[in-house]
Amino acid sequence: MRITTLKLKNFRNYQELDIDFSDHSNIFIGNNAQGKTNLLEALYIIGSTKSFRRVHDDQLLKIGQNNAGINAEIIKKGLKKTIKFDFIAKTGKKIWVNGKNSKKISDYLGNINVILFCPEDLMLIKGEAAFRRRFIDSLLCQTDNVYLSHLINFQRVLKQRNFLLKDIQERKKAKDVLGPWDEQLVSFAGVIAKKRDILIKNVNKILEMIYKKLNIDEKMEIIYKDTIFKGENFEEEEYATKYKNKLKSINFEEIRKGMTIIGPHRDDLEIKLDNLNARFYSSQGQQRTMAISLRMAEVEYIYSVFSEYPILLLDDIFSELDDKRKGYLIKFLKPDIQIFITGTRVSDFSQMIPRARVFNINQGKAAINKNE
């Protein structure tokens, strides 16, 4: 799995960019605010269709411009493809694969897989539940089209149901309008919850392997804390039935609040270290190791699905790690994984330089390091 070339036009602080990449390590070196992370953002969009900064598409356009473009050549399973993203101010984006318009995001996802490592990954351990839901949703959406379809439909029905709850609260609608929407909601939710449950069981096996490989004498484990069975084992049909009954039992409370208060959109993952909740009972160093391990587990899980490693994006990650944890990460970076890394000093990557292509990034321009 490779991104071989990247072209940008009016993207962030890049007016024009055209670069070719190494099949292994690519390092972007430069001072802060020069455009290093913007390059990773463009690469991440190629994989996921959206920015990891969680911004509106209009913010991707270079200041003063009405359109922007990302073009790339990729290879997956030995097949070469051309990818094109067109961003138009106040209109949105269009995606093209080999010249054919991908009208649905669900049709596009899976063309290339990317995993981002960044300092904010600590929030997977110590942050709110939304960070951990995004982690599991992102991984499943990259690897399971059925999950992606059900998640999109669940979110659509959830939005409509919340509108109806507010209308009922304001006495604009009768309570019985919820019935058909509840049927759809619990059906989609059952598939989502079961697939999350299965994924977490597989990720736990991978985490055990990672900790053994790194010679860490601790046990990291993830517990899926759904709002219906609350961590107990369940089957898809059981989930849907129990969810439907619970919705009926809290009907008055949901009307009073004007929102759906239980379901997959409120689930969480409890991350444990040696049987204790790591959010409250782990050191900063342990949390960094766990965050890195979660990303490593993503990589290995994607490999288990596609028999190819995803592309890794590492945004200023080495500056946040001590030597021991840098060693963990470097040990994990296999020769057959394409990597893109940002940093401020070439010396931070001395163990990789022999096989890396180094780019100097300055004011929205990229030049190959002459000392490469």
Side-chain angles (χ1 to χ4, degrees):
M1 205 176 298
R2 298 288 184 267
I3 298 176
T4 58
T5 65
L6 177 69
K7 297 180 181 179
L8 301 178
K9 183 175 181 180
N10 296 331
F11 180 86
R12 293 289 193 181
N13 67 328
Y14 289 90
Q15 183 173 350
E16 295 276 354
L17 181 76
D18 186 349
I19 49 178
D20 299 326
F21 295 125
S22 161
D23 283 345
H24 185 67
S25 299
N26 299 272
I27 303 174
F28 303 135
I29 297 294
N31 294 325
N32 292 331
Q34 299 303 304
K36 303 187 302 295
T37 300
N38 293 344
L39 284 176
L40 293 193
E41 183 178 31
L43 296 170
Y44 188 86
I45 289 170
I46 292 167
S48 69
T49 76
K50 56 188 177 182
S51 168
F52 55 76
R53 287 165 162 156
R54 302 183 65 78
V55 298
H56 191 275
D57 285 346
D58 283 359
Q59 292 177 257
L60 303 175
L61 277 61
K62 185 176 174 65
I63 294 173
Q65 300 297 322
N66 292 317
N67 57 72
I70 300 173
N71 289 266
E73 293 182 1
I74 67 171
I75 301 174
K76 184 176 179 180
K77 295 285 187 181
L79 297 175
K80 295 182 180 180
K81 294 181 182 179
T82 58
I83 304 295
K84 182 181 180 183
F85 281 73
D86 289 328
F87 301 93
I88 303 170
K90 299 180 181 179
T91 302
K93 61 175 170 273
K94 291 185 177 181
I95 308 171
W96 310 81
V97 179
N98 291 338
K100 183 179 179 181
N101 184 212
S102 291
K103 295 182 179 180
K104 296 181 180 178
I105 290 176
S106 57
D107 293 336
Y108 175 82
L109 288 177
N111 275 287
I112 200 82
N113 302 102
V114 297
I115 299 294
L116 173 72
F117 289 63
C118 65
E120 290 75 20
D121 285 345
L122 268 180
M123 299 304 288
L124 291 171
I125 311 300
K126 65 181 186 180
E128 298 302 318
F131 290 98
R132 291 178 287 278
R133 283 196 298 272
R134 281 201 293 272
F135 166 80
I136 194 170
D137 283 343
S138 174
L139 183 52
L140 279 167
C141 285
Q142 287 197 67
T143 55
D144 189 331
N145 286 334
V146 173
Y147 182 88
L148 173 61
S149 173
H150 279 71
L151 183 65
I152 290 170
N153 284 321
F154 175 83
Q155 291 171 339
R156 172 183 56 80
V157 173
L158 177 67
K159 184 177 180 180
Q160 181 60 37
R161 188 176 190 273
N162 286 339
F163 281 137
L164 290 173
L165 284 167
K166 289 176 183 176
D167 282 345
I168 296 168
Q169 181 189 67
E170 297 168 4
R171 301 191 176 184
K172 295 177 182 178
K173 295 272 176 67
K175 286 193 298 183
D176 56 9
V177 299
L178 291 174
W181 296 98
D182 287 358
E183 292 289 345
Q184 294 182 69
L185 193 76
V186 302
S187 176
F188 295 134
V191 175
I192 291 168
K194 190 58 188 177
K195 285 183 176 291
R196 285 178 176 178
D197 183 52
I198 293 170
L199 174 69
I200 292 306
K201 287 179 171 65
N202 288 326
V203 168
N204 277 328
K205 293 176 184 177
I206 296 171
L207 287 171
E208 183 178 2
M209 176 270 293
I210 289 170
Y211 267 62
K212 283 182 180 178
K213 186 174 182 180
L214 298 178
N215 294 316
I216 301 173
D217 190 23
E218 293 171 331
K219 182 183 179 182
M220 180 182 176
E221 184 181 18
I222 305 173
I223 307 297
Y224 176 36
K225 306 290 284 188
D226 72 280
T227 56
I228 308 304
F229 278 84
K230 302 185 184 300
E232 297 178 7
N233 290 326
F234 63 88
E235 295 302 325
E236 184 182 314
E237 295 79 8
E238 289 180 297
Y239 183 98
T241 300
K242 191 169 183 177
Y243 188 16
K244 185 178 178 180
N245 291 335
K246 281 206 168 191
L247 287 175
K248 290 179 180 177
S249 69
I250 60 172
N251 184 254
F252 288 106
E253 186 179 358
E254 288 194 321
I255 291 171
R256 181 174 60 83
K257 293 183 176 181
M259 65 174 68
T260 308
I261 60 176
I262 57 171
H265 61 297
R266 293 294 185 95
D267 290 349
D268 197 0
L269 305 178
E270 182 181 345
I271 299 175
K272 289 190 170 185
L273 188 67
D274 289 337
N275 294 317
L276 296 175
N277 190 326
R279 188 178 179 190
F280 308 109
Y281 301 103
S282 61
S283 68
Q284 185 92 336
Q286 288 172 320
Q287 289 177 353
R288 289 196 187 284
T289 300
M290 286 185 284
I292 291 170
S293 298
L294 281 175
R295 293 306 186 194
M296 290 178 179
E298 276 191 281
V299 171
E300 293 294 346
Y301 182 77
I302 287 175
Y303 180 81
S304 74
V305 174
F306 296 113
S307 299
E308 275 191 297
Y309 283 108
I311 292 160
L312 302 193
L313 312 177
L314 287 76
D315 188 23
D316 200 28
I317 193 73
F318 283 90
S319 67
E320 299 287 327
L321 302 177
D322 58 25
D323 289 342
K324 180 169 74 172
R325 289 171 179 82
K326 284 180 185 177
Y328 290 161
L329 188 51
I330 290 170
K331 186 177 180 180
F332 179 76
L333 299 178
K334 299 174 174 66
D336 49 350
I337 300 179
Q338 189 182 31
I339 308 160
F340 296 88
I341 312 170
T342 66
T344 55
R345 299 175 303 179
V346 175
S347 59
D348 289 338
F349 311 101
S350 57
Q351 297 184 59
M352 295 183 186
I353 291 299
R355 50 182 179 169
R357 183 169 297 176
V358 181
F359 298 89
N360 293 325
I361 309 300
N362 184 42
Q363 295 182 349
K365 297 185 184 300
I368 295 179
N369 192 310
K370 294 179 181 179
N371 298 318
E372 180 191 3

